[in-house]
Amino acid sequence: ADAGSPSAASPSASASDAAGRPHITLPSDVTDKYEDWKTGDATKDTVLAETARRIDATNDAILRGDASAPGLTFYYRDKALSDAVAWVQEYVKANLSFTGTTRYYAPKVTLSNSTTASVVYCSDESKGFNKNRKTNKVDRTPSQDSPYVLYNTRLVKNKQGVWQTSNLISKRGDKTCAG
């Protein structure tokens, strides 16, 4: 058995099709890698799966260059939705996309009640690179910024049973995520 595997792929397509979820497939040159995104608790694992789908949906919107991509309104709400749309628009304005692998790890889920949760997690963007949308040229110049980002999110379960991110704060270079 492979129960101790440290990695998991993106959520399965069958899970994505339930509840009218938008079907999201990232291109072959982009990988979102989720490490230890299972807790053994059914509700916490659902919250983590929805968080992973939200991350994939955000990356899909950036890659499409479409701030109105269906995944954003499905997995975000409130301030987090307006922030996500602005984030995608920044990529579009800069004529950028990206390629490579982003590793998401060290998730911690806190259930406040049956419809509210928080997820804190890290990402490692050291193997991800900006790509010019028009020329497809990849910029592999090492960034002066830390590739490690700490995310603190709040999720609310909507009437359809989808855990939507309502608030998201990120901090690049947070020592919690280094290494």
PDB file of all heavy atoms in Angstrom, residues 19-56:
ATOM      1  N   ALA A  19     -21.559  18.509  -7.770  1.00  0.00           N
ATOM      2  CA  ALA A  19     -22.021  19.840  -7.345  1.00  0.00           C
ATOM      3  C   ALA A  19     -21.823  20.905  -8.416  1.00  0.00           C
ATOM      4  O   ALA A  19     -21.727  22.073  -8.110  1.00  0.00           O
ATOM      5  CB  ALA A  19     -21.325  20.259  -6.051  1.00  0.00           C
ATOM      6  N   GLY A  20     -21.748  20.510  -9.679  1.00  0.00           N
ATOM      7  CA  GLY A  20     -21.611  21.481 -10.762  1.00  0.00           C
ATOM      8  C   GLY A  20     -20.257  22.154 -10.811  1.00  0.00           C
ATOM      9  O   GLY A  20     -20.123  23.237 -11.369  1.00  0.00           O
ATOM     10  N   ARG A  21     -19.251  21.521 -10.241  1.00  0.00           N
ATOM     11  CA  ARG A  21     -17.915  22.110 -10.225  1.00  0.00           C
ATOM     12  C   ARG A  21     -17.400  22.301 -11.653  1.00  0.00           C
ATOM     13  O   ARG A  21     -17.579  21.433 -12.491  1.00  0.00           O
ATOM     14  CB  ARG A  21     -16.948  21.217  -9.460  1.00  0.00           C
ATOM     15  CG  ARG A  21     -17.115  21.274  -7.971  1.00  0.00           C
ATOM     16  CD  ARG A  21     -16.277  20.199  -7.287  1.00  0.00           C
ATOM     17  NE  ARG A  21     -16.253  20.314  -5.849  1.00  0.00           N
ATOM     18  CZ  ARG A  21     -17.312  20.232  -5.060  1.00  0.00           C
ATOM     19  NH1 ARG A  21     -18.493  20.054  -5.565  1.00  0.00           N
ATOM     20  NH2 ARG A  21     -17.194  20.339  -3.757  1.00  0.00           N
ATOM     21  N   PRO A  22     -16.726  23.411 -11.899  1.00  0.00           N
ATOM     22  CA  PRO A  22     -16.126  23.593 -13.224  1.00  0.00           C
ATOM     23  C   PRO A  22     -15.009  22.576 -13.437  1.00  0.00           C
ATOM     24  O   PRO A  22     -14.275  22.252 -12.500  1.00  0.00           O
ATOM     25  CB  PRO A  22     -15.570  25.020 -13.182  1.00  0.00           C
ATOM     26  CG  PRO A  22     -15.542  25.410 -11.742  1.00  0.00           C
ATOM     27  CD  PRO A  22     -16.505  24.539 -11.008  1.00  0.00           C
ATOM     28  N   HIS A  23     -14.921  22.053 -14.638  1.00  0.00           N
ATOM     29  CA  HIS A  23     -13.858  21.102 -14.959  1.00  0.00           C
ATOM     30  C   HIS A  23     -12.589  21.896 -15.257  1.00  0.00           C
ATOM     31  O   HIS A  23     -12.575  22.735 -16.156  1.00  0.00           O
ATOM     32  CB  HIS A  23     -14.250  20.235 -16.154  1.00  0.00           C
ATOM     33  CG  HIS A  23     -13.205  19.228 -16.499  1.00  0.00           C
ATOM     34  ND1 HIS A  23     -12.954  18.130 -15.699  1.00  0.00           N
ATOM     35  CD2 HIS A  23     -12.330  19.165 -17.525  1.00  0.00           C
ATOM     36  CE1 HIS A  23     -11.964  17.436 -16.238  1.00  0.00           C
ATOM     37  NE2 HIS A  23     -11.574  18.036 -17.337  1.00  0.00           N
ATOM     38  N   ILE A  24     -11.536  21.635 -14.482  1.00  0.00           N
ATOM     39  CA  ILE A  24     -10.285  22.382 -14.642  1.00  0.00           C
ATOM     40  C   ILE A  24      -9.162  21.410 -14.958  1.00  0.00           C
ATOM     41  O   ILE A  24      -8.934  20.454 -14.212  1.00  0.00           O
ATOM     42  CB  ILE A  24      -9.975  23.190 -13.377  1.00  0.00           C
ATOM     43  CG1 ILE A  24     -11.049  24.259 -13.199  1.00  0.00           C
ATOM     44  CG2 ILE A  24      -8.583  23.810 -13.449  1.00  0.00           C
ATOM     45  CD1 ILE A  24     -11.060  24.929 -11.872  1.00  0.00           C
ATOM     46  N   THR A  25      -8.508  21.642 -16.072  1.00  0.00           N
ATOM     47  CA  THR A  25      -7.352  20.849 -16.452  1.00  0.00           C
ATOM     48  C   THR A  25      -6.219  21.809 -16.751  1.00  0.00           C
ATOM     49  O   THR A  25      -6.337  22.665 -17.636  1.00  0.00           O
ATOM     50  CB  THR A  25      -7.649  20.002 -17.713  1.00  0.00           C
ATOM     51  OG1 THR A  25      -8.790  19.186 -17.455  1.00  0.00           O
ATOM     52  CG2 THR A  25      -6.470  19.127 -18.065  1.00  0.00           C
ATOM     53  N   LEU A  26      -5.153  21.684 -15.998  1.00  0.00           N
ATOM     54  CA  LEU A  26      -3.991  22.539 -16.233  1.00  0.00           C
ATOM     55  C   LEU A  26      -3.178  21.973 -17.393  1.00  0.00           C
ATOM     56  O   LEU A  26      -3.155  20.758 -17.597  1.00  0.00           O
ATOM     57  CB  LEU A  26      -3.132  22.627 -14.972  1.00  0.00           C
ATOM     58  CG  LEU A  26      -3.827  23.237 -13.742  1.00  0.00           C
ATOM     59  CD1 LEU A  26      -2.910  23.187 -12.539  1.00  0.00           C
ATOM     60  CD2 LEU A  26      -4.283  24.659 -14.013  1.00  0.00           C
ATOM     61  N   PRO A  27      -2.499  22.828 -18.162  1.00  0.00           N
ATOM     62  CA  PRO A  27      -1.673  22.338 -19.269  1.00  0.00           C
ATOM     63  C   PRO A  27      -0.524  21.464 -18.771  1.00  0.00           C
ATOM     64  O   PRO A  27      -0.146  21.528 -17.588  1.00  0.00           O
ATOM     65  CB  PRO A  27      -1.163  23.618 -19.939  1.00  0.00           C
ATOM     66  CG  PRO A  27      -1.348  24.701 -18.945  1.00  0.00           C
ATOM     67  CD  PRO A  27      -2.442  24.280 -18.011  1.00  0.00           C
ATOM     68  N   SER A  28       0.034  20.674 -19.647  1.00  0.00           N
ATOM     69  CA  SER A  28       1.060  19.698 -19.259  1.00  0.00           C
ATOM     70  C   SER A  28       2.328  20.332 -18.695  1.00  0.00           C
ATOM     71  O   SER A  28       3.074  19.674 -17.971  1.00  0.00           O
ATOM     72  CB  SER A  28       1.412  18.804 -20.448  1.00  0.00           C
ATOM     73  OG  SER A  28       1.935  19.593 -21.496  1.00  0.00           O
ATOM     74  N   ASP A  29       2.565  21.615 -18.974  1.00  0.00           N
ATOM     75  CA  ASP A  29       3.781  22.256 -18.464  1.00  0.00           C
ATOM     76  C   ASP A  29       3.579  22.926 -17.098  1.00  0.00           C
ATOM     77  O   ASP A  29       4.479  23.577 -16.582  1.00  0.00           O
ATOM     78  CB  ASP A  29       4.333  23.269 -19.474  1.00  0.00           C
ATOM     79  CG  ASP A  29       3.431  24.479 -19.654  1.00  0.00           C
ATOM     80  OD1 ASP A  29       2.188  24.320 -19.581  1.00  0.00           O
ATOM     81  OD2 ASP A  29       3.953  25.577 -19.880  1.00  0.00           O
ATOM     82  N   VAL A  30       2.393  22.737 -16.502  1.00  0.00           N
ATOM     83  CA  VAL A  30       2.091  23.328 -15.196  1.00  0.00           C
ATOM     84  C   VAL A  30       1.600  22.227 -14.256  1.00  0.00           C
ATOM     85  O   VAL A  30       0.687  21.478 -14.597  1.00  0.00           O
ATOM     86  CB  VAL A  30       1.022  24.434 -15.313  1.00  0.00           C
ATOM     87  CG1 VAL A  30       0.607  24.937 -13.932  1.00  0.00           C
ATOM     88  CG2 VAL A  30       1.524  25.585 -16.172  1.00  0.00           C
ATOM     89  N   THR A  31       2.227  22.151 -13.077  1.00  0.00           N
ATOM     90  CA  THR A  31       1.828  21.148 -12.085  1.00  0.00           C
ATOM     91  C   THR A  31       1.631  21.807 -10.735  1.00  0.00           C
ATOM     92  O   THR A  31       2.497  22.556 -10.273  1.00  0.00           O
ATOM     93  CB  THR A  31       2.921  20.061 -11.952  1.00  0.00           C
ATOM     94  OG1 THR A  31       3.147  19.470 -13.224  1.00  0.00           O
ATOM     95  CG2 THR A  31       2.505  18.986 -10.956  1.00  0.00           C
ATOM     96  N   ASP A  32       0.486  21.539 -10.118  1.00  0.00           N
ATOM     97  CA  ASP A  32       0.234  21.910  -8.732  1.00  0.00           C
ATOM     98  C   ASP A  32       0.390  20.621  -7.931  1.00  0.00           C
ATOM     99  O   ASP A  32      -0.380  19.673  -8.109  1.00  0.00           O
ATOM    100  CB  ASP A  32      -1.176  22.471  -8.557  1.00  0.00           C
ATOM    101  CG  ASP A  32      -1.319  23.874  -9.132  1.00  0.00           C
ATOM    102  OD1 ASP A  32      -0.291  24.516  -9.408  1.00  0.00           O
ATOM    103  OD2 ASP A  32      -2.474  24.319  -9.296  1.00  0.00           O
ATOM    104  N   LYS A  33       1.391  20.584  -7.073  1.00  0.00           N
ATOM    105  CA  LYS A  33       1.711  19.380  -6.305  1.00  0.00           C
ATOM    106  C   LYS A  33       1.309  19.591  -4.844  1.00  0.00           C
ATOM    107  O   LYS A  33       1.773  20.536  -4.205  1.00  0.00           O
ATOM    108  CB  LYS A  33       3.215  19.111  -6.423  1.00  0.00           C
ATOM    109  CG  LYS A  33       3.686  17.863  -5.734  1.00  0.00           C
ATOM    110  CD  LYS A  33       5.181  17.691  -5.994  1.00  0.00           C
ATOM    111  CE  LYS A  33       5.743  16.552  -5.197  1.00  0.00           C
ATOM    112  NZ  LYS A  33       7.198  16.450  -5.365  1.00  0.00           N
ATOM    113  N   TYR A  34       0.422  18.725  -4.349  1.00  0.00           N
ATOM    114  CA  TYR A  34      -0.091  18.852  -2.986  1.00  0.00           C
ATOM    115  C   TYR A  34       0.525  17.767  -2.109  1.00  0.00           C
ATOM    116  O   TYR A  34       0.310  16.587  -2.344  1.00  0.00           O
ATOM    117  CB  TYR A  34      -1.620  18.739  -2.995  1.00  0.00           C
ATOM    118  CG  TYR A  34      -2.244  19.839  -3.817  1.00  0.00           C
ATOM    119  CD1 TYR A  34      -2.561  19.636  -5.150  1.00  0.00           C
ATOM    120  CD2 TYR A  34      -2.457  21.088  -3.273  1.00  0.00           C
ATOM    121  CE1 TYR A  34      -3.099  20.659  -5.926  1.00  0.00           C
ATOM    122  CE2 TYR A  34      -3.000  22.111  -4.034  1.00  0.00           C
ATOM    123  CZ  TYR A  34      -3.312  21.890  -5.353  1.00  0.00           C
ATOM    124  OH  TYR A  34      -3.829  22.912  -6.105  1.00  0.00           O
ATOM    125  N   GLU A  35       1.284  18.191  -1.094  1.00  0.00           N
ATOM    126  CA  GLU A  35       1.940  17.250  -0.186  1.00  0.00           C
ATOM    127  C   GLU A  35       1.211  17.207   1.148  1.00  0.00           C
ATOM    128  O   GLU A  35       0.987  18.244   1.767  1.00  0.00           O
ATOM    129  CB  GLU A  35       3.394  17.657   0.043  1.00  0.00           C
ATOM    130  CG  GLU A  35       4.251  17.503  -1.191  1.00  0.00           C
ATOM    131  CD  GLU A  35       5.710  17.836  -0.932  1.00  0.00           C
ATOM    132  OE1 GLU A  35       6.087  18.168   0.214  1.00  0.00           O
ATOM    133  OE2 GLU A  35       6.482  17.764  -1.903  1.00  0.00           O
ATOM    134  N   ASP A  36       0.849  16.003   1.552  1.00  0.00           N
ATOM    135  CA  ASP A  36       0.204  15.760   2.847  1.00  0.00           C
ATOM    136  C   ASP A  36      -1.121  16.508   2.982  1.00  0.00           C
ATOM    137  O   ASP A  36      -1.416  17.086   4.035  1.00  0.00           O
ATOM    138  CB  ASP A  36       1.155  16.120   4.009  1.00  0.00           C
ATOM    139  CG  ASP A  36       2.418  15.281   3.976  1.00  0.00           C
ATOM    140  OD1 ASP A  36       2.327  14.088   3.638  1.00  0.00           O
ATOM    141  OD2 ASP A  36       3.498  15.822   4.284  1.00  0.00           O
ATOM    142  N   TRP A  37      -1.936  16.472   1.919  1.00  0.00           N
ATOM    143  CA  TRP A  37      -3.226  17.151   1.949  1.00  0.00           C
ATOM    144  C   TRP A  37      -4.351  16.196   2.351  1.00  0.00           C
ATOM    145  O   TRP A  37      -5.481  16.331   1.910  1.00  0.00           O
ATOM    146  CB  TRP A  37      -3.507  17.819   0.597  1.00  0.00           C
ATOM    147  CG  TRP A  37      -2.774  19.126   0.507  1.00  0.00           C
ATOM    148  CD1 TRP A  37      -1.430  19.300   0.569  1.00  0.00           C
ATOM    149  CD2 TRP A  37      -3.328  20.422   0.381  1.00  0.00           C
ATOM    150  NE1 TRP A  37      -1.120  20.633   0.495  1.00  0.00           N
ATOM    151  CE2 TRP A  37      -2.269  21.345   0.371  1.00  0.00           C
ATOM    152  CE3 TRP A  37      -4.631  20.903   0.268  1.00  0.00           C
ATOM    153  CZ2 TRP A  37      -2.468  22.718   0.269  1.00  0.00           C
ATOM    154  CZ3 TRP A  37      -4.820  22.265   0.153  1.00  0.00           C
ATOM    155  CH2 TRP A  37      -3.753  23.166   0.154  1.00  0.00           C
ATOM    156  N   LYS A  38      -4.036  15.245   3.213  1.00  0.00           N
ATOM    157  CA  LYS A  38      -5.047  14.344   3.788  1.00  0.00           C
ATOM    158  C   LYS A  38      -4.817  14.298   5.287  1.00  0.00           C
ATOM    159  O   LYS A  38      -3.682  14.170   5.746  1.00  0.00           O
ATOM    160  CB  LYS A  38      -4.904  12.927   3.217  1.00  0.00           C
ATOM    161  CG  LYS A  38      -5.221  12.804   1.754  1.00  0.00           C
ATOM    162  CD  LYS A  38      -6.654  12.441   1.560  1.00  0.00           C
ATOM    163  CE  LYS A  38      -6.890  12.147   0.086  1.00  0.00           C
ATOM    164  NZ  LYS A  38      -8.257  12.310  -0.277  1.00  0.00           N
ATOM    165  N   THR A  39      -5.901  14.420   6.054  1.00  0.00           N
ATOM    166  CA  THR A  39      -5.781  14.383   7.505  1.00  0.00           C
ATOM    167  C   THR A  39      -6.379  13.113   8.090  1.00  0.00           C
ATOM    168  O   THR A  39      -6.086  12.772   9.224  1.00  0.00           O
ATOM    169  CB  THR A  39      -6.525  15.579   8.142  1.00  0.00           C
ATOM    170  OG1 THR A  39      -7.933  15.417   7.893  1.00  0.00           O
ATOM    171  CG2 THR A  39      -6.032  16.901   7.581  1.00  0.00           C
ATOM    172  N   GLY A  40      -7.259  12.459   7.330  1.00  0.00           N
ATOM    173  CA  GLY A  40      -7.991  11.315   7.861  1.00  0.00           C
ATOM    174  C   GLY A  40      -9.349  11.715   8.413  1.00  0.00           C
ATOM    175  O   GLY A  40     -10.200  10.877   8.668  1.00  0.00           O
ATOM    176  N   ASP A  41      -9.585  13.010   8.585  1.00  0.00           N
ATOM    177  CA  ASP A  41     -10.879  13.531   9.026  1.00  0.00           C
ATOM    178  C   ASP A  41     -11.654  13.925   7.773  1.00  0.00           C
ATOM    179  O   ASP A  41     -11.176  14.741   6.974  1.00  0.00           O
ATOM    180  CB  ASP A  41     -10.657  14.742   9.943  1.00  0.00           C
ATOM    181  CG  ASP A  41     -11.961  15.401  10.356  1.00  0.00           C
ATOM    182  OD1 ASP A  41     -12.515  16.183   9.546  1.00  0.00           O
ATOM    183  OD2 ASP A  41     -12.417  15.145  11.485  1.00  0.00           O
ATOM    184  N   ALA A  42     -12.842  13.375   7.581  1.00  0.00           N
ATOM    185  CA  ALA A  42     -13.608  13.585   6.342  1.00  0.00           C
ATOM    186  C   ALA A  42     -13.888  15.060   6.057  1.00  0.00           C
ATOM    187  O   ALA A  42     -13.724  15.520   4.921  1.00  0.00           O
ATOM    188  CB  ALA A  42     -14.919  12.799   6.392  1.00  0.00           C
ATOM    189  N   THR A  43     -14.310  15.807   7.059  1.00  0.00           N
ATOM    190  CA  THR A  43     -14.634  17.221   6.829  1.00  0.00           C
ATOM    191  C   THR A  43     -13.374  18.024   6.514  1.00  0.00           C
ATOM    192  O   THR A  43     -13.359  18.822   5.565  1.00  0.00           O
ATOM    193  CB  THR A  43     -15.358  17.816   8.054  1.00  0.00           C
ATOM    194  OG1 THR A  43     -16.528  17.031   8.322  1.00  0.00           O
ATOM    195  CG2 THR A  43     -15.769  19.263   7.800  1.00  0.00           C
ATOM    196  N   LYS A  44     -12.315  17.806   7.282  1.00  0.00           N
ATOM    197  CA  LYS A  44     -11.065  18.529   7.020  1.00  0.00           C
ATOM    198  C   LYS A  44     -10.520  18.174   5.636  1.00  0.00           C
ATOM    199  O   LYS A  44     -10.020  19.043   4.911  1.00  0.00           O
ATOM    200  CB  LYS A  44     -10.027  18.219   8.095  1.00  0.00           C
ATOM    201  CG  LYS A  44     -10.326  18.872   9.423  1.00  0.00           C
ATOM    202  CD  LYS A  44      -9.247  18.571  10.446  1.00  0.00           C
ATOM    203  CE  LYS A  44      -9.520  19.283  11.763  1.00  0.00           C
ATOM    204  NZ  LYS A  44      -8.443  19.027  12.742  1.00  0.00           N
ATOM    205  N   ASP A  45     -10.627  16.905   5.248  1.00  0.00           N
ATOM    206  CA  ASP A  45     -10.147  16.498   3.920  1.00  0.00           C
ATOM    207  C   ASP A  45     -10.975  17.137   2.810  1.00  0.00           C
ATOM    208  O   ASP A  45     -10.440  17.501   1.768  1.00  0.00           O
ATOM    209  CB  ASP A  45     -10.137  14.968   3.795  1.00  0.00           C
ATOM    210  CG  ASP A  45      -9.002  14.335   4.594  1.00  0.00           C
ATOM    211  OD1 ASP A  45      -8.098  15.070   5.057  1.00  0.00           O
ATOM    212  OD2 ASP A  45      -9.027  13.099   4.762  1.00  0.00           O
ATOM    213  N   THR A  46     -12.266  17.317   3.035  1.00  0.00           N
ATOM    214  CA  THR A  46     -13.113  18.011   2.055  1.00  0.00           C
ATOM    215  C   THR A  46     -12.692  19.469   1.941  1.00  0.00           C
ATOM    216  O   THR A  46     -12.584  20.010   0.833  1.00  0.00           O
ATOM    217  CB  THR A  46     -14.601  17.903   2.457  1.00  0.00           C
ATOM    218  OG1 THR A  46     -14.972  16.526   2.462  1.00  0.00           O
ATOM    219  CG2 THR A  46     -15.490  18.676   1.488  1.00  0.00           C
ATOM    220  N   VAL A  47     -12.433  20.116   3.070  1.00  0.00           N
ATOM    221  CA  VAL A  47     -11.974  21.510   3.066  1.00  0.00           C
ATOM    222  C   VAL A  47     -10.654  21.618   2.303  1.00  0.00           C
ATOM    223  O   VAL A  47     -10.470  22.528   1.472  1.00  0.00           O
ATOM    224  CB  VAL A  47     -11.850  22.062   4.505  1.00  0.00           C
ATOM    225  CG1 VAL A  47     -11.150  23.418   4.509  1.00  0.00           C
ATOM    226  CG2 VAL A  47     -13.219  22.169   5.161  1.00  0.00           C
ATOM    227  N   LEU A  48      -9.734  20.683   2.537  1.00  0.00           N
ATOM    228  CA  LEU A  48      -8.450  20.706   1.822  1.00  0.00           C
ATOM    229  C   LEU A  48      -8.643  20.464   0.327  1.00  0.00           C
ATOM    230  O   LEU A  48      -7.989  21.114  -0.499  1.00  0.00           O
ATOM    231  CB  LEU A  48      -7.493  19.666   2.410  1.00  0.00           C
ATOM    232  CG  LEU A  48      -6.865  20.039   3.742  1.00  0.00           C
ATOM    233  CD1 LEU A  48      -6.057  18.875   4.298  1.00  0.00           C
ATOM    234  CD2 LEU A  48      -5.987  21.279   3.609  1.00  0.00           C
ATOM    235  N   ALA A  49      -9.530  19.545  -0.038  1.00  0.00           N
ATOM    236  CA  ALA A  49      -9.782  19.277  -1.459  1.00  0.00           C
ATOM    237  C   ALA A  49     -10.352  20.525  -2.147  1.00  0.00           C
ATOM    238  O   ALA A  49      -9.959  20.857  -3.268  1.00  0.00           O
ATOM    239  CB  ALA A  49     -10.730  18.089  -1.624  1.00  0.00           C
ATOM    240  N   GLU A  50     -11.268  21.222  -1.467  1.00  0.00           N
ATOM    241  CA  GLU A  50     -11.835  22.447  -2.040  1.00  0.00           C
ATOM    242  C   GLU A  50     -10.764  23.529  -2.147  1.00  0.00           C
ATOM    243  O   GLU A  50     -10.734  24.296  -3.112  1.00  0.00           O
ATOM    244  CB  GLU A  50     -13.000  22.960  -1.191  1.00  0.00           C
ATOM    245  CG  GLU A  50     -14.169  22.015  -1.083  1.00  0.00           C
ATOM    246  CD  GLU A  50     -15.072  21.972  -2.294  1.00  0.00           C
ATOM    247  OE1 GLU A  50     -14.564  21.813  -3.433  1.00  0.00           O
ATOM    248  OE2 GLU A  50     -16.290  22.065  -2.098  1.00  0.00           O
ATOM    249  N   THR A  51      -9.870  23.595  -1.178  1.00  0.00           N
ATOM    250  CA  THR A  51      -8.773  24.566  -1.232  1.00  0.00           C
ATOM    251  C   THR A  51      -7.873  24.263  -2.423  1.00  0.00           C
ATOM    252  O   THR A  51      -7.479  25.172  -3.158  1.00  0.00           O
ATOM    253  CB  THR A  51      -7.977  24.555   0.091  1.00  0.00           C
ATOM    254  OG1 THR A  51      -8.863  24.907   1.167  1.00  0.00           O
ATOM    255  CG2 THR A  51      -6.820  25.533   0.055  1.00  0.00           C
ATOM    256  N   ALA A  52      -7.554  22.991  -2.636  1.00  0.00           N
ATOM    257  CA  ALA A  52      -6.724  22.602  -3.784  1.00  0.00           C
ATOM    258  C   ALA A  52      -7.427  22.930  -5.101  1.00  0.00           C
ATOM    259  O   ALA A  52      -6.795  23.425  -6.043  1.00  0.00           O
ATOM    260  CB  ALA A  52      -6.396  21.113  -3.709  1.00  0.00           C
ATOM    261  N   ARG A  53      -8.728  22.697  -5.168  1.00  0.00           N
ATOM    262  CA  ARG A  53      -9.474  23.025  -6.395  1.00  0.00           C
ATOM    263  C   ARG A  53      -9.461  24.537  -6.634  1.00  0.00           C
ATOM    264  O   ARG A  53      -9.384  24.994  -7.768  1.00  0.00           O
ATOM    265  CB  ARG A  53     -10.905  22.506  -6.301  1.00  0.00           C
ATOM    266  CG  ARG A  53     -10.997  21.003  -6.406  1.00  0.00           C
ATOM    267  CD  ARG A  53     -12.461  20.542  -6.429  1.00  0.00           C
ATOM    268  NE  ARG A  53     -12.520  19.123  -6.182  1.00  0.00           N
ATOM    269  CZ  ARG A  53     -12.919  18.555  -5.047  1.00  0.00           C
ATOM    270  NH1 ARG A  53     -13.327  19.299  -4.030  1.00  0.00           N
ATOM    271  NH2 ARG A  53     -12.925  17.256  -4.919  1.00  0.00           N
ATOM    272  N   ARG A  54      -9.535  25.318  -5.536  1.00  0.00           N
ATOM    273  CA  ARG A  54      -9.480  26.772  -5.662  1.00  0.00           C
ATOM    274  C   ARG A  54      -8.130  27.215  -6.194  1.00  0.00           C
ATOM    275  O   ARG A  54      -8.035  28.080  -7.060  1.00  0.00           O
ATOM    276  CB  ARG A  54      -9.777  27.418  -4.297  1.00  0.00           C
ATOM    277  CG  ARG A  54      -9.947  28.914  -4.367  1.00  0.00           C
ATOM    278  CD  ARG A  54      -8.838  29.721  -3.747  1.00  0.00           C
ATOM    279  NE  ARG A  54      -8.377  29.242  -2.483  1.00  0.00           N
ATOM    280  CZ  ARG A  54      -7.088  29.322  -2.126  1.00  0.00           C
ATOM    281  NH1 ARG A  54      -6.170  29.813  -2.930  1.00  0.00           N
ATOM    282  NH2 ARG A  54      -6.701  28.888  -0.952  1.00  0.00           N
ATOM    283  N   ILE A  55      -7.060  26.603  -5.715  1.00  0.00           N
ATOM    284  CA  ILE A  55      -5.719  26.926  -6.201  1.00  0.00           C
ATOM    285  C   ILE A  55      -5.623  26.598  -7.694  1.00  0.00           C
ATOM    286  O   ILE A  55      -5.160  27.414  -8.495  1.00  0.00           O
ATOM    287  CB  ILE A  55      -4.650  26.154  -5.398  1.00  0.00           C
ATOM    288  CG1 ILE A  55      -4.600  26.662  -3.954  1.00  0.00           C
ATOM    289  CG2 ILE A  55      -3.284  26.263  -6.065  1.00  0.00           C
ATOM    290  CD1 ILE A  55      -3.834  25.763  -3.000  1.00  0.00           C
ATOM    291  N   ASP A  56      -6.076  25.409  -8.075  1.00  0.00           N
ATOM    292  CA  ASP A  56      -6.056  25.015  -9.489  1.00  0.00           C
ATOM    293  C   ASP A  56      -6.891  25.983 -10.338  1.00  0.00           C
ATOM    294  O   ASP A  56      -6.495  26.354 -11.439  1.00  0.00           O
ATOM    295  CB  ASP A  56      -6.581  23.591  -9.675  1.00  0.00           C
ATOM    296  CG  ASP A  56      -5.627  22.525  -9.151  1.00  0.00           C
ATOM    297  OD1 ASP A  56      -4.455  22.830  -8.851  1.00  0.00           O
ATOM    298  OD2 ASP A  56      -6.072  21.355  -9.045  1.00  0.00           O
TER     299      ASP A  56
END
